[in-house]
Amino acid sequence: MSDKIKFLMEGKECTGKPGQSILQAADDNGVYIPRLCYHPDLKPGGSCRVCTVNVNGRNMAACTTPVADGMVILNETEELRDLRRALVEMLFIEGNHYCPFCEKSGNCELQALAYRLKIMAPRFPYMFPERKLDATHPAIFIDGNRCIQCGRCVRAAEEVDHKPILGFIGRGVAMRIKAGSSKGLAGVEIGPEDACVKVCPVGSIIVRETAYRTPIGKRTYDHQPIGSDIEARAPES
Amino acid sequence: MNEFVSRIRERNMKKLVIDPVTRVEGHGKVTIIMDDQGRVDRTRLHIVEFRGFERFIQGRPYWEAPVVVQRLCGICPVSHHLAAAKAMDLVVGVGPEELSPTAEKMRRLMHYGQMLQSHALHFFHLCSPDLLFGFDSPVLKRNVLAVAQEFPEIAKQGIFMRRFGQEIIRATAGKKIHGTGAIPGGINKHLETADRDAFRKDIEQMIEWAAAAVGLVKQVHGKNPTYFDNFGSFPSNHLSLVGKDGALDFYHGTLRAIDDQGHKIIDQVDYTDYLRHIGEEVRSWSYMKFPFLRKLGKKLGWYRVGPLARLNTCDFIPSPLAQKEFEQFRAYTNGKPNNFTLHYHWARMIEMLHSAEVIKQLLADKDLTAGELLRRGKKRGEGVGVVEAPRGTLIHHYKVNENDQIKMCNLIVSTTHNNEPMNQAVARVAGQYLDRQQITEGLLNHIEVGIRAYDPCLSCATHALGQMPLQVELENSRGEVIQRAERGSGA
Ligand code: FES
């Protein structure tokens, strides 16, 4: 078996390695597929579906589908763009996302993705759900208003930090992130250095008293849209 | 133009509503209740106050306050940003004297930049039509476009000065409006040297134009001083922060209030103690409270804030050109407090000149481009922050629980302090110009001019969240409601 997988991405010949997902292979070829629940240090979650691409005529999640020889993949069709927009819009209306004063603004993947996808306003009505803050821990804060249920923190706690301190309760739109203790965050061992804190793509899990330290103009997405770093990668020869 | 006159005739009482007062930021409503002879019976300036932000911020982490609460206002957000940051400095255990020099000076630069842009906006864009064309001039002329046509040089200066101030805000807060520069315990950035150098290049021009603007107000005044002096004028108390040694200071100081003769009512009051000195009265007909000095009580304790009040309370201005103008300003009323409503414009321009001079001083300071940004002390559960906003004293007060969540927020904004004075001004002007007279467009505008002198930022004073419906009530002299009408305020 060859250790190179050949596939077509937007009509361009690309190569991948065995065991890679479409998303990882695309990254290596300098092609950005939008994503939210995926994180390079974690096993794929496959829950947000923002990474949906068209593979040989069918829509599949790029983060969970292994790349295979001869795949013909489309990433930038109008249909896919609209699908992704709709998914991101749903995340916005399901939570309470006030970007203008959110401390994650400028460093937030959800916000950056909305900009990249050119979302002006969601097509769905806002739900304004009642979400809670868990402010019981001296170092870490969970703001349920901004959680998008991507599950990165849950996976990071298990896979990287090796302590299953975070989980989901409820189902569907009622699903909420929760610290695994009756006392909430106060009852678990968690700190700013934990991967489960660092992987949050939005302003939901935050380290206390670090807010707004990075001036506007110096934040991650102030000048470059999300995905620019991937697009700058030279395709492997 | 978003201006209309409606008359309600019922039981021989006419109610005249000017709504909204055009060219005031936000919404307000003036009601004049007249008797059957067409005499002014009573006047009221209604402001719909819905304290949305004070409720909305409860439960949020304290560090969000400086960024959230500034969204009360799109005209002077920096004042809210800084007042909240000052309050939160105390919460993180950093007193006003304990901020790093860099943090203090960056905040000052931000604030004086805002003062410059806000005063320039008010004078050139909102007031110059009245002042240059006269209060009786036709409607079509009373706008900034007409000024641009007939006085292009003045209009241009207004635009450039505003832009300069906004650029200073951008360079210190990150954005022209609603930035993030000040954080509890300090500031998040230095001034970039490229920005500093660009500002240094333009600052002399700003000072020159600001000095010319002071000259322009004096010239307008000189054309008809009696009219200018008497317009909606009345004696009052005055309140502001006063810096060290009695200097004019917009960023920090202690509270001082004086009466119309210049006697001190309170002095050197630590503003964290404001509740002991300032009370807020609720009146049934207004959503906005009426602050008063407790020492004098509800009836006599009301006061003015803003440029006129500041130049009355301070002892001197710590910059040479503005100090010279200040001496003239003081000499005009023989050293006594100036109680002429339209002299707000004069005072405002002297402040604009002072702001430009302070910016120049700051731009020469090395602390802006290097040095410690943030400090931390012992956490506390409460903080009060006060600044002199362009429109006057601004008080922010927060209580924070042991989990860092805000549990109480009280804001007294400049326009609220000026509530009673604006009502007084409306009453005087209505009495002076509307009594028994035909109701003309020019006369209506006189009332607006009286209010506009205070540069009220009604959206800020009202904290309106979206479209708050207004209720219009018609009362007879016995205080009985004859008619009640409701409508949306977004008209
Ligand atoms: S990134 Fe693939 S499903 Fe979320």
Side-chain angles (χ1 to χ4, degrees):
Chain A
M1 193 174 134
S2 135
D3 64 345
K4 274 203 178 155
I5 292 169
K6 289 199 165 65
F7 63 100
L8 273 183
M9 181 67 144
E10 303 283 87
K12 202 176 77 178
E13 276 192 24
C14 295
T15 54
K17 294 180 208 135
Q20 275 190 322
S21 64
I22 294 175
L23 187 142
Q24 287 166 323
D27 280 5
D28 284 351
N29 285 275
V31 175
Y32 172 71
I33 299 171
R35 79 282 310 265
L36 271 176
C37 68
Y38 173 80
H39 189 280
D41 299 341
L42 307 173
K43 287 189 197 138
S47 61
C48 76
R49 303 324 253 195
V50 169
C51 67
T52 302
V53 288
N54 186 292
V55 185
N56 301 340
R58 284 181 59 196
N59 286 352
M60 338 251 298
C63 69
T64 51
T65 310
V67 69
D69 247 330
M71 274 184 170
V72 178
I73 303 168
L74 297 175
N75 181 35
E76 290 289 352
T77 68
E78 194 38 56
E79 186 207 339
L80 286 172
R81 264 198 287 264
D82 190 56
L83 179 93
R84 290 169 184 157
R85 260 187 228 125
L87 289 168
V88 173
E89 287 169 23
M90 280 192 263
L91 292 174
F92 269 98
I93 60 108
E94 267 180 30
N96 298 307
H97 299 277
Y98 299 109
C99 300
F101 62 77
C102 177
E103 60 183 276
K104 192 78 174 207
S105 218
N107 294 316
C108 171
E109 292 180 34
L110 180 70
Q111 181 193 41
L113 200 54
Y115 277 125
R116 171 143 188 159
L117 296 174
K118 298 193 169 65
I119 293 172
M120 301 307 284
R123 68 195 78 173
F124 314 105
Y126 285 100
M127 292 167 74
F128 300 115
E130 284 265 344
R131 299 273 188 92
K132 292 207 166 51
L133 256 66
D134 185 342
T136 56
H137 194 274
I140 307 298
F141 213 96
I142 294 187
D143 187 343
N145 291 294
R146 302 168 183 158
C147 179
I148 55 169
Q149 287 89 30
C150 66
R152 280 195 201 176
C153 55
V154 179
R155 281 176 281 143
E158 277 173 17
E159 296 169 26
V160 184
D161 303 327
H162 305 293
K163 46 181 184 188
I165 51 173
L166 297 167
F168 286 114
I169 53 163
R171 298 177 72 85
V173 284
M175 195 159 89
R176 300 281 180 274
I177 187 81
K178 192 164 177 334
S181 146
S182 56
K183 283 193 253 152
L185 273 180
V188 301
E189 234 180 78
I190 188 168
E193 292 312 313
D194 284 332
C196 61
V197 171
K198 290 182 176 163
V199 295
C200 181
V202 290
S204 186
I205 303 186
I206 49 183
V207 180
R208 270 173 206 267
E209 303 189 2
T210 54
Y212 318 109
R213 294 280 171 92
T214 314
I216 295 169
K218 298 248 157 56
R219 302 171 306 182
T220 316
Y221 305 115
D222 275 340
H223 302 293
Q224 298 281 332
I226 190 168
S228 307
D229 52 336
I230 289 166
E231 286 165 329
R233 286 183 200 171
E236 285 191 3
S237 48
Chain B
M1 239 200 196
N2 206 358
E3 182 174 20
F4 65 90
V5 177
S6 71
R7 296 180 190 194
I8 302 162
R9 288 172 195 275
E10 211 165 312
R11 294 200 193 175
N12 295 332
M13 295 276 271
K14 268 197 282 195
K15 180 169 161 175
L16 180 66
V17 184
I18 308 170
D19 183 13
V21 176
T22 54
R23 281 181 284 142
V24 170
E25 308 299 336
H27 294 104
K29 188 180 67 174
V30 177
T31 307
I32 306 163
I33 301 167
M34 295 194 276
D35 64 16
D36 48 2
Q37 262 82 53
R39 281 184 305 238
V40 173
D41 189 46
R42 268 163 293 155
T43 62
R44 282 169 178 176
L45 171 64
H46 299 263
I47 293 173
V48 183
E49 177 171 289
F50 173 54
R51 299 202 148 191
F53 275 79
E54 282 143 311
R55 283 292 302 278
F56 177 62
I57 193 130
Q58 280 173 22
R60 299 303 309 168
Y62 72 81
W63 52 82
E64 283 185 357
V67 182
V68 176
V69 180
Q70 61 177 338
R71 289 188 177 260
L72 272 170
C73 181
I75 311 294
C76 67
V78 168
S79 313
H80 289 287
H81 183 57
L82 292 176
K86 284 178 84 178
M88 294 314 175
D89 288 345
L90 291 176
V91 166
V92 299
V94 180
E97 321 293 332
E98 293 155 3
L99 276 181
S100 73
T102 300
E104 212 246 16
K105 287 169 190 171
M106 279 294 278
R107 288 185 184 183
R108 270 186 189 274
L109 182 62
M110 194 193 299
H111 194 37
Y112 282 75
Q114 148 168 273
M115 204 58 101
L116 185 77
Q117 75 89 10
S118 176
H119 281 1
L121 169 80
H122 179 262
F123 183 73
F124 291 102
H125 296 231
L126 304 178
C127 280
S128 67
D130 294 330
L131 297 177
L132 294 172
F133 298 129
F135 307 125
D136 289 314
S137 59
V139 180
L140 284 177
K141 254 195 154 173
R142 286 203 321 261
N143 61 62
V144 70
L145 292 178
V147 174
Q149 239 165 34
E150 287 195 33
F151 304 90
E153 197 48 36
I154 289 176
K156 193 187 90 189
Q157 289 173 10
I159 291 166
F160 281 124
M161 291 182 86
R162 176 142 200 258
R163 193 163 76 191
F164 182 83
Q166 283 181 314
E167 281 301 321
I168 297 236
I169 297 170
R170 188 215 25 90
T172 47
K175 271 164 73 186
K176 284 183 195 162
I177 51 162
H178 302 146
T180 61
I183 47 183
I187 192 98
N188 69 9
K189 66 186 300 225
H190 293 109
L191 184 67
E192 310 265 346
T193 47
D195 282 330
R196 182 201 60 194
D197 295 345
F199 296 141
R200 278 182 180 171
K201 254 193 9 235
D202 288 341
I203 187 63
E204 292 297 344
Q205 181 67 77
M206 297 303 137
I207 293 174
E208 199 181 295
W209 285 343
V214 182
L216 183 64
V217 176
K218 287 194 286 192
Q219 201 187 319
V220 171
H221 173 260
K223 279 191 195 145
N224 197 345
T226 325
Y227 177 85
F228 210 82
D229 293 350
N230 292 334
F231 190 97
S233 291
F234 51 86
S236 77
N237 307 312
H238 301 270
L239 173 110
S240 81
L241 283 183
V242 173
K244 277 202 193 85
D245 317 317
L248 179 70
D249 195 324
F250 304 143
Y251 177 71
H252 191 64
T254 49
L255 288 169
R256 177 186 283 179
I258 57 163
D259 66 15
D260 64 318
Q261 292 303 306
H263 303 120
K264 292 189 178 104
I265 306 164
I266 58 169
D267 195 22
Q268 296 188 5
V269 165
D270 175 353
Y271 59 63
T272 58
D273 232 8
Y274 80 99
L275 278 174
R276 271 189 43 214
H277 299 276
I278 297 169
E280 286 186 279
E281 186 196 354
V282 176
R283 294 186 196 166
S284 58
W285 56 269
S286 176
Y287 289 98
M288 188 155 84
K289 289 181 189 170
F290 289 80
F292 61 93
L293 293 161
R294 290 190 191 276
K295 207 165 176 179
L296 301 184
K298 288 179 189 170
K299 224 176 138 58
L300 300 172
W302 57 274
Y303 49 85
R304 286 191 261 202
V305 299
L308 187 73
R310 287 192 285 252
L311 293 208
N312 282 330
T313 52
C314 77
D315 299 327
F316 68 98
I317 298 185
S319 70
L321 296 176
Q323 170 63 18
K324 260 196 147 149
E325 295 294 343
F326 174 70
E327 283 160 17
Q328 262 191 46
F329 177 88
R330 272 297 172 83
Y332 190 76
T333 47
N334 301 317
K336 293 271 186 217
N338 183 324
N339 285 299
F340 303 132
T341 293
L342 285 189
H343 288 219
Y344 260 98
H345 297 302
W346 187 5
R348 194 173 286 117
M349 288 305 96
I350 296 174
E351 286 193 345
M352 185 165 84
L353 175 59
H354 172 58
S355 301
E357 288 185 286
V358 170
I359 291 169
K360 184 183 164 190
Q361 292 165 10
L362 283 168
L363 289 173
D365 199 312
K366 285 196 179 64
D367 286 337
L368 288 174
T369 46
E372 189 188 1
L373 296 174
L374 265 183
R375 286 187 180 163
R376 272 282 177 283
K378 198 172 167 322
K379 285 266 269 298
R380 279 173 259 195
E382 189 168 0
V384 178
V386 179
V387 295
E388 282 297 323
R391 290 148 189 85
T393 315
L394 170 66
I395 303 175
H396 278 219
H397 181 191
Y398 302 90
K399 286 186 186 162
V400 175
N401 71 15
E402 65 288 355
N403 288 336
D404 290 345
Q405 290 169 287
I406 293 166
K407 58 179 183 187
M408 188 286 293
C409 162
N410 187 40
L411 312 173
I412 308 182
V413 303
S414 324
T415 301
T416 304
H417 292 293
N418 276 334
N419 196 359
E420 177 65 23
M422 285 191 292
N423 273 282
Q424 294 273 345
V426 170
R428 308 275 157 155
V429 175
Q432 272 171 303
Y433 296 98
L434 286 175
D435 202 25
R436 289 169 189 274
Q437 295 200 24
Q438 268 299 96
I439 299 150
T440 62
E441 173 65 32
L443 284 174
L444 292 180
N445 199 42
H446 276 87
I447 290 183
E448 295 189 18
V449 171
I451 300 168
R452 228 178 278 144
Y454 292 85
D455 189 11
C457 160
L458 299 182
S459 70
C460 148
T462 57
H463 314 186
L465 279 177
Q467 305 255 315
M468 178 109 181
L470 280 182
Q471 199 175 62
V472 182
E473 285 186 348
L474 180 60
E475 285 179 13
N476 64 18
S477 50
R478 291 186 300 280
E480 295 159 349
V481 178
I482 305 163
Q483 195 184 345
R484 178 179 285 134
E486 282 193 1
R487 60 161 199 73
S489 68

